Amino acid sequence: MTGSSNKLNVHALLWQDEQLHVLDQRQLPEAVFYDVYTEAVDIAEAIRSMRVRGAPAIGIAAAYAVALSVKKNFKQNDASWKDKFDAEIKVLAASRPTAVNLFWALTEMQNKLADIEGDPIEAMLDYAADIHQQDIAANKAMGELGAEVLADAKGLLTHCNAGALATGGYGTALGVIRSAVAKMPRNVFAGETRPWLQGARLTVWELAEDDIAATLIADSAAAMLMKSGQIDWIIVGADRIAANGDVANKIGTYSLAVLAKHHGVKLMVVAPTTTIDFAMQEGSQIEIEQRAASEFLPDCYADENSLVDAWNPVFDVTPAELISVIVTERGVVFNPVETGMSELKND
Ligand code: MRU
């Protein structure tokens, strides 16, 4: 892995000269720095260590990682290349548990490989790039569909980062916000999103890079904001959507959904169909990533004899009954608890 510090607008992932350039999101907004990867296991580490985040971006990074693994291992012309490849797939699959796009991309790339006769390298590299481009196209389509649903709503609140940084480009929730703001001025609010501060460090930075004004709020100000009547819609992305429409997304989304119901604010979830996991009947089956207490526990409590610990689930599940609309590139599902998700299935 090498690095470069030239600014390249808002792109989480760039594929250049058969290398994956990954914007190190841990350094934003202070520094724009790209790490350059050629090894699948190093990309797995970039996912695990949160250099690249957001469900679609993780999936796309994994797709490129699979292609790079094929390139390296197939070239060695060794009968056991497939075993080495399978071992790298396992490392990628273990990088983070909640976003289904990772597992979708690994399966998609493995299925593609199984269909190829002869040298698979070029076709696999091309297929990873296709997955990347398809994600951007899906985001643009969702942007238009979501903006139509918003009509002339003025006040929008988003949570975490579901923008260009979390996807192949343009964004899911932020894609809708981009498209909506292009049609008319809106007041955009972003929750800071503790503990990793994706809202404060990524979302408002990304919006400002696109000349979209935004107001940051502490997560704990959300109820007050809703009560003040300044927002009509909450717009979020998703890490995994179950077959019944329950949505796993960044911790705090469920709290916002409950508050929204109380205050008569509507909740829009925006995600490509690659985020829907029809194998999960309901949200309670989704594995929720738990991260280290040290992410927000003051150091003075780190001692093993300390009576103070921290509980740090980094996603939660919002039940479908609290969701007004799910926007995908294949269409919009209003009131998912009544409508169901089956129309979005690709059989
Ligand atoms: O822990 P992260 O930063 O990977 O979590 C990101 C989110 O939860 C996003 O809201 C979600 O992946 C949707 S991204 C379009």
Side-chain angles (χ1 to χ4, degrees):
M1 181 186 83
T2 54
S4 66
S5 62
N6 51 324
K7 188 167 172 175
L8 296 159
N9 300 318
V10 181
H11 297 288
L13 301 168
L14 289 164
W15 181 245
Q16 286 170 352
D17 304 325
E18 298 193 356
Q19 297 176 319
L20 184 63
H21 296 239
V22 174
L23 176 57
D24 184 351
Q25 300 189 23
R26 302 169 313 173
Q27 299 192 42
L28 290 171
E30 288 86 10
V32 174
F33 185 88
Y34 284 81
D35 293 312
V36 184
Y37 294 91
T38 53
E39 286 281 337
V41 292
D42 292 339
I43 295 173
E45 172 56 19
I47 296 170
R48 198 197 59 73
S49 60
M50 311 274 279
R51 284 173 170 83
V52 55
R53 21 210 153 112
I58 290 172
I60 295 161
Y64 283 121
V66 174
L68 287 167
S69 175
V70 169
K71 183 180 166 192
K72 179 185 76 178
N73 290 307
F74 186 82
K75 259 189 184 163
Q76 287 173 357
N77 205 13
D78 169 346
S80 68
W81 83 267
K82 203 57 188 17
D83 295 342
K84 293 176 188 157
F85 168 77
D86 289 343
E88 294 190 339
I89 294 281
K90 284 206 176 84
V91 175
L92 285 160
S95 56
R96 287 189 78 189
T98 303
V100 74
N101 307 61
L102 168 67
F103 306 98
W104 175 86
L106 295 179
T107 304
E108 190 71 15
M109 292 296 286
Q110 285 172 287
N111 289 345
K112 177 75 182 176
L113 181 62
D115 285 346
I116 300 171
E117 285 170 20
D119 183 337
I121 295 173
E122 284 310 313
M124 292 297 282
L125 293 170
D126 287 350
Y127 198 52
D130 281 355
I131 286 175
H132 190 169
Q133 293 311 313
Q134 280 165 23
D135 184 69
I136 298 171
N139 291 339
K140 294 205 168 141
M142 291 188 289
E144 283 307 307
L145 291 171
E148 269 173 40
V149 174
L150 295 180
D152 56 0
K154 284 278 297 177
L156 313 174
L157 169 66
T158 190
H159 184 62
C160 193
N161 177 262
L165 291 169
T167 63
Y170 202 67
T172 56
L174 283 195
V176 169
I177 290 174
R178 281 189 166 87
S179 297
V181 167
K183 291 183 197 301
M184 62 172 261
R186 324 261 180 167
N187 298 322
V188 180
F189 294 86
E192 66 175 345
T193 319
R194 287 191 62 79
W196 272 74
L197 299 174
Q198 286 91 339
R201 301 184 69 87
L202 307 179
T203 298
V204 291
W205 176 79
E206 173 178 335
L207 289 172
E209 290 288 301
D210 261 8
D211 295 323
I212 298 173
T215 303
L216 188 64
I217 60 162
D219 296 328
S220 46
M224 186 72 175
L225 178 69
M226 291 186 217
K227 192 168 184 181
S228 75
Q230 292 182 77
I231 58 165
D232 311 293
W233 283 89
I234 297 168
I235 309 175
V236 295
D239 288 85
R240 197 183 289 234
I241 303 179
N244 71 343
D246 291 349
V247 169
N249 190 47
K250 180 53 56 192
I251 191 77
T253 304
Y254 175 38
S255 318
L256 291 174
V258 173
L259 289 172
K261 187 169 176 84
H262 181 78
H263 291 96
V265 168
K266 286 177 276 214
L267 174 61
M268 175 186 285
V269 175
V270 189
T273 45
T274 52
T275 304
I276 305 174
D277 185 354
F278 284 103
M280 298 275 155
Q281 291 313 306
E282 52 183 65
S284 59
Q285 296 169 287
I286 298 173
E287 183 181 348
I288 299 295
E289 180 181 6
Q290 298 276 337
R291 294 184 67 89
S294 58
E295 289 188 345
F296 60 88
L297 189 68
D299 288 348
C300 60
Y301 301 123
D303 186 272
E304 61 181 27
N305 298 318
S306 168
L307 292 177
V308 182
D309 198 0
W311 182 57
N312 188 16
V314 297
F315 300 98
D316 57 27
V317 174
T318 298
E321 69 200 57
L322 296 178
I323 297 168
S324 316
V325 57
I326 297 179
V327 176
T328 76
E329 80 285 8
R330 274 192 213 139
V332 175
V333 176
F334 290 94
N335 197 355
V337 88
E338 277 176 21
T339 319
M341 305 286 292
S342 52
E343 271 183 28
L344 300 172
K345 236 176 175 166
N346 188 19
D347 341 87

